Amino acid sequence: MKKMRKCPSCGRQIYQYAQVCPYCKAETRFASYDEEIPPEETYEEPVEEEPEEVSIPDEGDTAAEGEQDSKFGKYMRHLKQDTEKVKHEYEEKIASKYSTSTIIIGSVIALLSIIVLGIFIAVQMMETKTFSLNNTVDNSLKAVIDSVETELYQSSTIVAKFPDRQRHSMVYLRDGRLHIYDAANQSDKEVDLQELNSKAVVDYEGSGVLNAYLSTNEKYIIIIASRNSGNTEFGFYRMTTTPDNPSLEILDHGRVVVDKDGYKVSTDVRTATYDSNGDRVSGLSSSEWEKVAPKVEKQKKQETQEKTAEPEKAPVKATEQIEPRAIDVAPKPAAPTSPDKMVIKPVEN
């Protein structure tokens, strides 16, 4: 049976002849197997002078030698096992040092990815469900809007109809005023653009709102309104389609031209183009031009001053431009005299 002893460093039970602890890798300073087994006695063979009787070893001596050999074999086996065990544990420790950290980091990343993906899918499903619920046409709301549209057909211009549960309204234009009819409450409200945005300028005493259009993405109402009594300048605005709490954004002002691609707003010094959703495509808006205009005016003024500062060249007199020509005083030959007229007389027979 294998005898065990406590390691002096870690206190664990290890083999009594182990020189290195397989757990803490510390030296044990235990007595080795060779130190406890007495060394074999050496003897010199006697000179064969006289024949001697061969003595047969006792059975007890043979048993002692066999026991000694078995102890040494056990020691070698245990030493080999301990060495292999220490080597295996060391290799596993080195391999697990990297594999464990890699597994932990990979597990954390995979867990976070699953959580983020789950949240994204849940949000998308909620948005899709909400969108489909809110944007489903309600037949009762549609019937109310259609009946009101029939009444307003002769006197108003229908801008947009929203017979869904989210907006449940109709936008129409009448006598220069923009109106929103709420089909859910069956109430009509006139929209004052100046109340929605204090910086908006609308000539309500004159033409007021000239026209309004639904954007391609159906998120806005594009509004063109008169800013003065002569209709020489228009306001270009964008209003949200939420009936409960609409908001107004000032896009530009100037002369507005509507075409199939969108809108063109121009003045004497600039031109800006907008798409059908009211997003600017090119050019400078009025607010941006106001920031740039002082620099442009200053540059023009400097150019004008440089032109006036250049000295004008004195005009060249006509006499100085004409080169004098030499006069020929030699007598000219007389003109040849013309021959006298010849008279042809008829011949008499």
Side-chain angles (χ1 to χ4, degrees), residues 222-236:
I222 309 299
I223 302 171
I224 302 173
S226 176
R227 286 170 58 93
N228 50 39
S229 58
N231 290 340
T232 57
E233 187 179 54
F234 303 146
F236 189 55

Side-chain angles (χ1 to χ4, degrees), residues 22-91:
Y23 301 103
C24 64
K25 309 299 182 296
E27 294 184 4
T28 61
R29 301 185 184 277
F30 291 162
S32 65
Y33 183 80
D34 295 332
E35 291 175 353
E36 290 194 357
I37 297 177
E40 297 180 358
E41 296 181 356
T42 58
Y43 65 93
E44 295 179 0
E45 293 182 337
V47 180
E48 296 182 357
E49 295 179 353
E50 294 179 359
E52 295 182 356
E53 294 181 0
V54 179
S55 61
I56 299 172
D58 239 358
E59 290 181 0
D61 295 340
T62 305
E65 288 179 1
E67 185 180 357
Q68 183 176 354
D69 290 340
S70 63
K71 286 184 179 180
F72 182 74
K74 288 181 181 179
Y75 169 75
M76 293 302 296
R77 286 196 302 272
H78 289 310
L79 182 61
K80 185 177 181 180
Q81 290 175 1
D82 290 341
T83 304
E84 292 294 333
K85 184 178 180 181
V86 171
K87 182 180 178 181
H88 181 68
E89 289 180 353
Y90 179 76
E91 291 177 351

Side-chain angles (χ1 to χ4, degrees), residues 19 22 41-42 56 78 85 105 113 117 125 138 141 154 159 180 205 214 248 269 287 318 322 344:
Q19 299 298 307
E41 296 181 356
T42 58
I56 299 172
H78 289 310
K85 184 178 180 181
I105 294 173
S113 301
L117 181 62
M125 291 178 65
D138 192 323
L141 296 175
Q154 298 293 337
V159 178
I180 296 179
E205 299 298 329
L214 178 65
L248 184 71
V269 292
S287 58
I322 300 173
I344 301 174

Side-chain angles (χ1 to χ4, degrees), residues 312-326:
E312 295 183 358
K313 296 181 179 180
V316 181
K317 295 181 180 180
T319 55
E320 294 177 355
Q321 293 179 352
I322 300 173
E323 295 181 358
R325 293 180 297 177

Side-chain angles (χ1 to χ4, degrees), residues 171 173 176-180 190-204 208-212 221-226 235-240 246-250:
V171 182
L173 181 63
R177 303 275 179 165
L178 198 66
H179 294 259
I180 296 179
E190 181 182 327
V191 180
D192 189 347
L193 304 183
Q194 293 174 334
E195 288 183 1
L196 296 179
N197 193 326
S198 59
K199 295 182 180 180
V201 179
V202 182
D203 180 27
Y204 281 116
V209 178
L210 298 173
N211 216 331
I221 301 296
I222 309 299
I223 302 171
I224 302 173
S226 176
F236 189 55
Y237 309 125
R238 183 167 67 178
M239 185 183 71
T240 57
S247 61
L248 184 71
E249 180 184 0
I250 300 175

